Amino acid sequence: MSSYVVTGVSRGIGWAFLNHLSDDPRNTVIGIVRNKPATDQRVVSELGGRSNITILEADLNRYGDLKRVAAETEVVTGGKLDYLVANAAYITSFDAFPGIGDLGQTPQELTDELHKLLDTNVLANIHLYNLFMPQILKGKAKKVVVISTGVADIDWTNDYELEGNALYGISKAAMNMVTSKFHAQYRKDGVLFLSICPGLVDSGHFNEPTAEDKAKLQILFEKFSRYSPDFKGLDDPASAVKAVMWVIENSSIEQGDGGRFLSHFKNKQWL
Ligand SMILES: NC(=O)c1ccc[n+]([C@@H]2O[C@H](COP(=O)([O-])OP(=O)(O)OC[C@H]3O[C@@H](n4cnc5c(N)ncnc54)[C@H](OP(=O)(O)O)[C@@H]3O)[C@@H](O)[C@H]2O)c1
């Protein structure tokens, strides 16, 4: 029925996208990963080798890889792509808890980490969008989505003094602007660009915290509970993907959603 390209389907939220979208045998789902044999094996063992899944291999930071997988996708879809989901991201524990001022105590690490975050979470996605745009323009749905995060929301950061994830948040906020700039150019062609936060999702990043991290996590979760009295902790990836897909399906240029930065509730409520 529809064709999808999703990056970073090896694990976490990306794997949940692969599972959810390919569950409808009428869909064609192309997943982009860095290690194709490992994900092919996982598709066989956990999804019974669904025939509507194609796994392609690319490191997002290599332009040549992206160009190749765009060409390989054309062979699978006949050159028409409905949905592109930029899910893959570089996520670092370096900036998880310390404030941006404290990160300056190791300036070289700060520099290296910010470069990596901007390379993968911003620059690579700009190339991804440009390389897949000819296929999106020929598709029916014409929807391009980046999986963003509430920690890129400037007002939320200010109001709740959310000091952690500073560099990651900077990269995601920059990507939100990329969404807007693509919208500004391609609205006239009927392409919907969105940045969507999936909520706080259990993809293993909080596994085995140190005692110090546990204490900081508790303070953060207290802030989250103050922000959203309904906050009950981490969501599971499958539920998060269902919520994000609901937002994608219920958003349109006609409703004024083009270029917007939305939560999994289709508003600015991040949790
Ligand atoms: N989890 C949350 O609570 C949460 C909240 C808000 C937003 N998000 C966003 O949701 C998305 C998925 O997050 P997640 O929690 O599922 O993360 P994750 O489990 O760390 O998965 C990240 C994925 O990105 C891939 N990736 C990273 N760098 C890559 C590169 N250079 N080339 C190709 N693939 C690359 C990884 O592949 P490998 O297996 O090869 O490393 C992996 O598949 C991200 O955009 C994240 O920012 C997550």
Side-chain angles (χ1 to χ4, degrees), residues 8 10-11 13 34 59-60 87 147-148 168 172 201 203 205:
S10 59
R11 55 195 166 92
I13 296 170
R34 283 191 280 202
D59 183 327
L60 293 184
N87 163 76
I147 305 304
S148 190
Y168 169 71
K172 289 291 192 169
V201 185
S203 52
H205 289 288

Side-chain angles (χ1 to χ4, degrees), residues 34 59-61 87-98 100 103 108-126 146-147 149 151-152 163-176 178 205:
R34 283 191 280 202
D59 183 327
L60 293 184
N61 295 323
N87 163 76
Y90 176 64
I91 299 165
T92 172
S93 58
F94 170 66
D95 69 347
F97 298 113
I100 194 160
L103 299 178
Q108 190 57 51
E109 210 177 338
L110 189 161
T111 303
D112 293 345
E113 288 291 343
L114 187 54
H115 280 155
K116 279 196 225 167
L117 285 155
L118 293 173
D119 277 349
T120 306
N121 301 354
V122 187
L123 198 49
N125 283 333
I126 295 174
V146 67
I147 305 304
T149 168
V151 304
E163 54 189 296
N165 293 299
L167 308 182
Y168 169 71
I170 289 166
S171 74
K172 289 291 192 169
M175 190 57 208
N176 290 347
V178 171
H205 289 288

